[in-house]
């Protein structure tokens, strides 16, 4: 084995669109919220949401909802100053759909999110000596629901919305890596797996701030773009243009062997 082929790697996963399919939950809640605050005049389709997200700065779905509402009213020749949207009201409505009306008893769209990976996949990484954790723009409650309740993980390493600035700011990615290293020898290669342009920009910003390591961005196609090959190809090209070194149709295609190959070729 050459030295390069056995580089130690850490893999950090985004959650939404990577670990769970949120097309019928977060994205449905965005559409519900925009429709409600435009008094049923406009309900964004998935492509509208993807186009907004491709700008790379709308990782927070509450802010994305507000932006889509603003943009609709701008087409009706109303200014943002005239509208004076109540951001807290937007968040509250969104949460009532996504979590359900009782924040302590989740009954909303979150309960029906299909899983995109199995615990056995993460066990494969562990057996290969690859440390792994999660950095997500989801709230801690939402992230822990899928990681602990649905996947059965025991206290996984997680940096969530409350813990760091939103992507593409790489602060949360650095924090996740520090938790995974936890005082042990610094790992030379970090792989971040995400499904949006903001995720890929996060890796690029991390590389710019810490060039002593190898940073690898891996794109994953969220399920809602895989309904047609044209959609899949266009979305994949967008992720590659934003910095992904490879785009996969499911996160579990990122095997320990492929991780080593990606890290070695990027080093």
């Amino acid at each position: 084995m050459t030295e390069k082929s056995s580089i130690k790697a850490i893999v950090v996963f985004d959650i939404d669109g990577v670990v769970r399919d949120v097309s019928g939950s977060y994205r449905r809640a965005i559409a519900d919220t925009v429709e409600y605050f435009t008094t049923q005049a406009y309900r964004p389709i998935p492509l509208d949401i993807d186009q907004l997200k491709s700008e790379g700065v709308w990782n927070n779905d509450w802010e994305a909802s507000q932006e889509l509402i603003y943009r609709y009213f701008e087409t009706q020749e109303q200014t943002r100053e005239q509208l004076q949207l109540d951001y807290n009201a937007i968040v509250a409505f969104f949460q009532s759909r996504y979590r359900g009306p009782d924040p302590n008893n989740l009954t909303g769209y979150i309960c029906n999110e299909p899983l995109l990976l199995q615990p056995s996949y993460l066990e494969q990484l562990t057996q290969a000596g690859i440390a792994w954790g999660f950095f997500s723009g989801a709230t801690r409650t939402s992230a822990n629901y899928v990681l602990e309740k649905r996947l059965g993980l025991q206290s996984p390493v997680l940096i969530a919305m409350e813990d760091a600035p939103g992507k593409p700011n790489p602060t949360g990615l650095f924090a996740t890596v520090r938790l995974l290293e936890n005082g042990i020898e610094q790992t030379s290669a970090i792989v971040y797996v995400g499904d949006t342009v903001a995720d890929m920009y996060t890796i690029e910003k991390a590389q710019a701030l810490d060039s002593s390591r190898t940073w690898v961005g891996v794109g994953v196609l969220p399920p809602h773009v895989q309904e047609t090959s044209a959609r899949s190809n266009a979305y994949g090209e967008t992720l590659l243009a934003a910095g992904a070194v490879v785009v996969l149709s499911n996160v579990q295609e990122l095997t320990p062997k492929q991780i080593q190959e990606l890290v070695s070729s990027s080093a």
Side-chain angles (χ1 to χ4, degrees):
M1 228 185 198
T2 65
E3 187 183 342
K4 271 198 167 184
S5 68
S6 58
I7 293 169
K8 286 193 70 171
I10 277 176
V11 181
V12 180
F13 299 97
D14 178 34
I15 293 177
D16 302 332
V18 176
V19 176
R20 60 180 171 191
D21 179 2
V22 295
S23 56
S25 57
Y26 271 128
R27 284 167 175 266
R28 185 178 173 191
I30 290 174
D32 286 357
T33 304
V34 174
E35 185 176 49
Y36 178 81
F37 284 93
T38 59
T39 56
Q40 281 66 54
Y42 168 52
R43 182 178 179 86
I45 61 171
L47 190 59
D48 296 336
I49 298 170
D50 285 341
Q51 285 175 337
L52 182 76
K53 297 253 180 193
S54 73
E55 295 174 15
V57 293
W58 304 108
N59 195 63
N60 181 313
D61 288 336
W62 302 333
E63 294 174 359
S65 299
Q66 177 176 252
E67 184 64 17
L68 286 168
I69 296 163
Y70 272 135
R71 292 188 188 187
Y72 166 75
F73 281 113
E74 285 174 339
T75 69
Q76 307 304 302
E77 300 185 345
Q78 294 187 50
T79 66
R80 297 183 181 220
E81 292 72 24
Q82 285 174 309
L83 288 170
Q84 294 189 320
L85 292 176
D86 182 344
Y87 180 69
N88 290 331
I90 291 170
V91 172
F93 182 88
F94 183 104
Q95 293 294 77
S96 74
R97 294 303 174 98
Y98 179 68
R99 289 190 184 183
D102 178 358
N104 299 312
N105 180 30
L106 301 179
T107 56
Y109 300 156
I110 187 174
C111 298
N112 302 312
E113 295 169 331
L115 296 175
L116 301 174
L117 63 73
Q118 297 304 314
S120 56
Y121 165 71
L122 298 171
E123 185 55 36
Q124 281 177 28
L125 300 185
T126 300
Q127 289 175 357
I130 296 167
W132 48 268
F134 303 90
F135 167 43
S136 172
T139 65
R140 183 162 280 276
T141 298
S142 170
N144 274 333
Y145 178 82
V146 67
L147 298 180
E148 296 184 355
K149 187 164 183 178
R150 299 285 306 284
L151 285 169
L153 304 179
Q154 302 294 315
S155 302
V157 167
L158 166 67
I159 296 294
M161 176 195 282
E162 298 91 335
D163 307 318
K167 294 178 273 189
N169 186 312
T171 301
L173 181 58
F174 288 132
T176 312
V177 170
R178 278 197 303 275
L179 286 172
L180 287 166
E181 289 180 331
N182 194 24
I184 62 171
E185 184 186 357
Q186 200 179 68
T187 307
S188 55
I190 311 298
V191 179
Y192 186 48
V193 188
D195 70 317
T196 67
V197 168
D199 294 325
M200 299 307 112
Y201 286 174
T202 301
I203 272 281
E204 291 199 333
K205 288 176 182 293
Q207 174 78 59
L209 289 168
D210 180 6
S211 58
S212 67
R213 298 175 182 264
T214 300
W215 298 89
V216 181
V218 172
V220 174
L221 296 174
H224 74 273
V225 305
Q226 297 190 49
E227 290 164 7
T228 67
S229 57
R231 225 26 232 294
S232 293
N233 292 340
Y235 198 97
E237 289 299 325
T238 300
L239 291 178
L240 291 168
V245 297
V246 66
V247 176
L248 310 174
S249 58
N250 178 269
V251 62
Q252 295 179 132
E253 294 170 22
L254 186 66
T255 61
K257 183 172 184 287
Q258 188 178 23
I259 290 165
Q260 287 295 343
E261 288 171 359
L262 290 174
V263 164
S264 298
S265 62
S266 301

